């Protein structure tokens, strides 16, 4: 299927149409849209019960999917990606007919689906799941070995979809209310998944089954398995909602390094609870789990592979020095517990809700421990990473993310918004209110945009259109001649008139440019634009 995507760029009252022709298939729509075979049922509970064979790089087992009937229908869509295969699907002990279209499998139900009923289907499957090529960006299962030759296995599937390794309703809009994960592994290994460990079963075939229970809603890509020769240590954190269990699982040889490096974890919790509100999953604990890739925000089971060094694999993304004051993966991936796991986007096109706020959490961490100036220097320093290649918001209903600029362009957008609010206590209260008002919810970009406009009491329509839907950065053109400051914005969307703080002879003053030239009489000899605003400047 071919679609013409028209990105409407609004320029000083004129409309410029930029046509981008992109290819989307039926599979894209089946993956990315709320299909008729999805919309009629609401997830309530999963029991994922599998055996993982690291020697053969295979998985066998079943997922029992419990759901509430919202309206009558006789076909249910289950997602599972080849080369994994659905062996059979049962309801009430009866095997059902399955029609497969690559990743999407349509199951014909014979029992009447009555509105309000809670029903279940058992989906049996097996095979060798896609092996991750460059986890976590090109995900799947990472089948590795540790330095002692023992298996070291982990899942990662953001974007690609959880159906790459287990059958489920693979769309972000519907989070399961609770989840039991039972994972059978060789007895010399341990599996660590989300939530709390209920029990360990020893089997006669030299294996063990680890049962982990998640009591909170969870998005599909947040579910994970991590298998290795792990050792455990932990601590109790006295937080805003009481005592929080913080548990750490690392490879045996890395225990001492982890005990030192993971000191950033309680520091993170203190800073983020201050800025964002209580950790959203006290009931399920907080975990850091070592994996053979960089890391990922798996809910209550955050994965870590940053080599026990500060920065991003020992590098400062900002180039300011401040990025070496913390372990990037511990701070960034844990920040996702609030933005991605607590507040979750409904459509991949709105992934900025996850990544912009979480990239911004890095300088919020610095703000808490090193002050406002340090945090500002850090986020401003990340501007060199920004590409402005395509809009931050992607195409809806086809599982398409927007630009990677959702990280640091998004963070700088939020840093700019902080300047517009001026009152840091108000800004903090807004961030905390977001995590309370959207607690355990899936949301759209428009919901977040409207919410921030309401809370700030600023019409942010053109602000978000500029930074989320346009690739241009506003440029403030100005001149200072004969005691008159002349200024305007160029490269802006319609109605963009964001106020900006300037310094005139060292004194702060606000101006509100738009697309028309404006003037300000002044005796000033020098004008400086506050660099905390993410705009370009051009002195004429």
């Amino acid at each position: 299927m071919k679609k013409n995507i028209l990105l409407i760029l609004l320029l000083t009252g004129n409309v410029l149409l930029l046509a981008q022709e992109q290819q989307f298939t039926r599979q894209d729509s089946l993956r990315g849209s709320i299909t008729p075979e999805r919309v009629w049922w609401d997830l309530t509970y999963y029991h994922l019960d599998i055996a993982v064979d690291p020697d053969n790089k295979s998985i066998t087992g079943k997922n029992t999917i419990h759901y509430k009937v919202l309206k009558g229908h006789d076909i249910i869509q289950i997602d599972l990606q080849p080369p994994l295969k659905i062996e059979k699907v049962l309801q009430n002990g009866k095997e059902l007919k399955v029609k497969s279209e690559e990743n999407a499998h349509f199951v014909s139900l014979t029992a009447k689906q009555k509105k309000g009923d809670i029903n279940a289907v058992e989906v049996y499957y097996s095979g060798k799941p896609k092996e991750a090529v460059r986890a976590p960006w090109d995900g799947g299962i990472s089948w590795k070995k540790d330095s002692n030759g023992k298996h070291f296995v982990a899942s990662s599937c953001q974007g690609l979809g959880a159906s790459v390794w287990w059958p489920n309703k693979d769309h972000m809009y519907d989070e399961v209310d609770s989840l039991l994960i039972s994972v059978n592994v060789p007895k010399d290994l341990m599996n660590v998944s989300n939530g709390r460990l209920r029990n360990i079963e020893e089997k006669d075939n030299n294996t063990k089954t680890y049962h982990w229970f998640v009591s909170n809603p969870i998005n599909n890509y947040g579910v994970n398995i991590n298998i290795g020769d792990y050792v455990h240590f932990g601590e109790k954190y006295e937080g805003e909602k009481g005592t929080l269990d913080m548990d750490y699982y690392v490879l045996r040889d890395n225990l001492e390094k982890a005990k030192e490096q993971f000191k950033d974890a309680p520091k993170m919790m203190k800073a983020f609870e201050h800025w964002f509100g209580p950790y959203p999953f006290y009931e399920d604990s907080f975990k850091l789990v070592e994996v053979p890739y960089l890391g990922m925000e798996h809910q209550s089971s955050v994965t870590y592979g940053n080599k026990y060094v500060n920065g991003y694999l020992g590098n400062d993304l900002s180039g300011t020095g401040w990025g070496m004051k913390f372990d990037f993966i511990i701070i960034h991936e844990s920040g996702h517990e609030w933005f991605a796991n607590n507040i979750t986007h409904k459509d991949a096109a709105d992934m900025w809700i996850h990544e912009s706020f979480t990239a911004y959490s890095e300088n919020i961490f610095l703000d808490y421990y090193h002050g406002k100036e340090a945090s500002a220097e850090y986020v401003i320093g990340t501007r060199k990473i920004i590409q402005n290649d395509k809009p931050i918001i992607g195409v809806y209903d086809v599982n398409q993310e927007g630009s990677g600029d959702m990280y640091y362009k998004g963070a700088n957008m939020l840093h700019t918004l902080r300047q517009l609010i001026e009152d840091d206590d108000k800004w903090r209260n807004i961030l905390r209110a977001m995590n309370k008002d959207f607690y355990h919810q899936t949301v759209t970009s428009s919901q977040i945009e409207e919410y921030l406009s309401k809370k700030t009491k600023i019409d942010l329509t053109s602000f978000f259109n500029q930074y989320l839907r346009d690739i241009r950065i506003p440029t403030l053109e100005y001149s200072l001649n004969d005691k008159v400051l002349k200024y305007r914005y160029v490269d802006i969307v319609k109605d963009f008139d964001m106020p900006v703080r300037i310094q005139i002879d060292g004194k702060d003053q606000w101006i509100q440019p738009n697309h028309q030239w404006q003037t300000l009489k002044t005796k000033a000899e020098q004008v400086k634009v506050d660099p905390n605003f993410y705009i370009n400047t051009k002195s004429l």
Side-chain angles (χ1 to χ4, degrees):
M1 182 185 300
K2 184 181 291 186
K3 296 182 181 179
N4 290 322
I5 308 303
L6 297 181
L7 300 178
I8 303 177
L9 306 179
L10 301 172
L11 296 170
T12 62
N14 297 316
V15 178
L16 172 66
L17 298 181
L18 175 62
Q20 291 187 340
E21 189 176 81
Q22 300 188 26
Q23 297 286 337
F24 294 113
T25 66
R26 173 167 166 79
Q27 277 298 309
D28 293 325
S29 296
L30 289 175
R31 171 75 175 87
S33 64
I34 305 172
T35 63
E37 294 77 23
R38 281 173 170 157
V39 72
W40 66 270
W41 54 289
D42 178 60
L43 281 169
T44 60
Y45 178 74
Y46 284 136
H47 180 195
L48 178 60
D49 186 2
I50 61 174
V52 179
D53 183 349
D55 286 333
N56 292 312
K57 298 183 178 181
S58 66
I59 297 176
T60 58
K62 69 173 181 175
N63 186 21
T64 303
I65 303 172
H66 297 252
Y67 61 92
K68 182 178 181 179
V69 179
L70 303 179
K71 58 182 179 179
H73 206 282
D74 59 359
I75 298 177
I76 189 170
Q77 179 181 337
I78 305 298
D79 303 291
L80 183 68
Q81 297 180 33
L84 292 173
K85 293 182 179 180
I86 290 180
E87 303 292 348
K88 61 181 177 180
V89 180
L90 303 180
Q91 185 165 64
N92 302 324
K94 183 177 181 180
E95 187 167 350
L96 304 175
K97 182 180 178 181
V98 181
K99 179 183 177 182
S100 297
E101 290 190 42
E102 297 183 44
N103 300 344
H105 308 272
F106 300 97
V107 182
S108 296
L109 304 173
T110 56
K112 186 172 178 60
Q113 306 295 307
K114 294 170 59 178
K115 182 178 179 180
D117 282 356
I118 303 294
N119 296 332
V121 291
E122 298 172 272
V123 183
Y124 291 79
Y125 77 111
S126 65
K128 296 185 177 183
K130 177 183 180 296
E131 186 167 354
V133 177
R134 185 172 171 261
W137 302 280
D138 187 357
I141 303 294
S142 297
W143 305 98
K144 305 293 183 180
K145 290 191 176 182
D146 65 18
S147 59
N148 296 317
K150 289 199 170 186
H151 288 292
F152 191 24
V153 179
S155 61
S156 59
C157 54
Q158 184 181 22
L160 179 62
S163 57
V164 74
W165 67 275
W166 60 288
N168 59 82
K169 186 181 191 178
D170 205 358
H171 194 287
M172 296 293 288
Y173 88 99
D174 189 6
E175 294 188 340
V176 71
D177 297 334
S178 59
L179 166 73
L180 177 62
I181 316 170
S182 302
V183 183
N184 179 261
V185 296
K187 70 174 184 179
D188 62 334
L189 301 174
M190 178 187 299
N191 173 71
V192 182
S193 289
N194 316 77
R196 292 185 183 272
L197 183 62
R198 275 189 166 176
N199 66 300
I200 305 170
E201 283 187 275
E202 294 204 24
K203 303 290 187 177
D204 294 335
N205 60 348
N206 291 321
T207 65
K208 291 181 179 179
T209 299
Y210 290 80
H211 299 276
W212 294 86
F213 182 71
V214 181
S215 61
N216 286 294
I218 184 170
N219 64 59
N220 286 340
Y221 85 83
V223 177
N224 69 348
I225 53 172
N226 306 288
I227 300 166
D229 182 23
Y230 287 122
V231 291
H232 165 260
F233 68 104
E235 59 190 310
K236 304 287 187 181
Y237 178 81
E238 297 304 322
E240 291 195 13
K241 289 179 68 174
T243 302
L244 173 65
D245 292 320
M246 300 185 68
D247 294 293
Y248 313 117
Y249 293 86
V250 300
L251 292 182
R252 190 172 302 278
D253 290 351
N254 293 334
L255 179 60
E256 295 308 314
K257 287 189 290 187
K259 285 182 176 179
E260 182 62 31
Q261 193 70 11
F262 287 7
K263 289 178 180 179
D264 264 3
K267 289 178 63 179
M268 169 278 300
M269 195 63 67
K270 186 175 182 180
F272 288 171
E273 285 210 328
H274 172 83
W275 273 101
F276 301 148
Y279 173 68
F281 309 106
Y282 269 72
E283 302 83 357
D284 293 325
S285 78
F286 172 86
K287 293 186 291 297
L288 283 177
V289 187
E290 185 174 359
V291 290
Y293 61 87
L294 185 60
M296 179 57 68
E297 65 262 24
H298 303 106
Q299 183 174 307
S300 73
S301 182
V302 174
T303 50
Y304 176 87
N306 202 41
K307 310 297 184 184
Y308 299 100
V309 293
N310 279 2
Y312 181 100
L313 292 173
N315 298 296
D316 177 7
L317 295 180
S318 76
T320 64
W322 291 113
M324 300 306 294
K325 298 293 185 181
F326 59 91
D327 187 307
F328 176 91
I329 290 299
I330 293 176
I331 304 310
H332 180 92
E333 303 303 347
S334 299
H336 276 304
E337 293 281 42
W338 286 262
F339 295 98
N341 299 339
N342 186 38
I343 304 174
T344 309
H345 66 67
K346 285 186 176 180
D347 191 291
D350 289 335
M351 194 177 286
W352 78 270
I353 298 167
H354 295 195
E355 301 301 351
S356 297
F357 282 97
T358 302
Y360 182 69
S361 76
E362 297 159 27
N363 61 292
I364 284 298
F365 177 85
L366 285 168
D367 188 293
Y368 189 85
Y369 289 104
H370 300 281
K372 190 173 180 178
E373 185 175 338
S375 71
E377 288 180 10
Y378 176 83
V379 71
I380 292 169
T382 62
R383 291 177 188 172
K384 67 180 185 296
I385 303 171
I386 299 169
Q387 299 295 310
N388 288 313
D389 56 345
K390 59 181 180 179
I392 286 177
I393 290 181
V395 180
Y396 290 97
D397 297 325
V398 288
N399 194 47
Q400 192 207 57
E401 304 167 12
S403 170
D405 284 345
M406 69 179 78
Y407 290 83
Y408 293 109
K409 182 177 180 180
N412 275 279
M413 174 186 72
L414 294 173
H415 183 66
T416 300
L417 180 56
R418 180 181 184 177
Q419 312 312 309
L420 299 178
I421 295 170
E422 295 189 81
D423 184 338
D424 285 345
D425 288 335
K426 181 178 180 180
W427 178 225
R428 173 179 169 243
N429 288 335
I430 289 172
L431 294 172
R432 290 174 63 90
M434 282 183 68
N435 278 280
K436 180 180 178 181
D437 294 341
F438 295 111
Y439 184 71
H440 292 176
Q441 292 183 34
T442 59
V443 300
T444 64
S445 182
S446 61
Q447 282 179 275
I448 297 300
E449 294 171 52
E450 291 167 10
Y451 182 88
L452 289 172
S453 285
K454 181 179 178 180
K455 287 291 185 180
T456 61
K457 297 182 180 179
I458 304 170
D459 183 354
L460 296 170
T461 304
S462 63
F463 176 85
F464 286 121
N465 284 340
Q466 183 75 53
Y467 289 107
L468 295 177
R469 299 178 175 88
D470 200 291
I471 64 173
R472 297 164 301 158
I473 300 305
T475 296
L476 177 64
E477 294 185 339
Y478 67 94
S479 63
L480 183 59
N481 295 302
D482 299 325
K483 299 182 180 181
V484 174
L485 174 64
K486 188 178 179 182
Y487 57 90
R488 71 170 181 180
Y489 278 132
V490 296
D491 297 331
I492 56 173
V493 300
K494 183 182 178 182
D495 297 329
F496 185 84
D497 61 351
M498 181 181 74
V500 62
R501 188 167 49 234
I502 63 174
Q503 285 188 338
I504 298 179
D505 287 343
K507 294 182 180 180
D508 285 346
Q509 181 168 335
W510 286 86
I511 57 174
Q512 188 165 8
N514 55 37
H515 71 280
Q516 296 180 322
W517 283 110
Q518 298 181 60
T519 59
L520 176 68
K521 292 183 178 180
T522 178
K523 296 179 180 179
E525 296 181 359
Q526 188 177 22
V527 173
K528 182 180 179 182
V529 180
D530 189 333
N532 287 295
F533 292 78
Y534 183 40
I535 60 174
N536 294 323
T537 60
K538 184 177 181 181
S539 177
L540 303 176

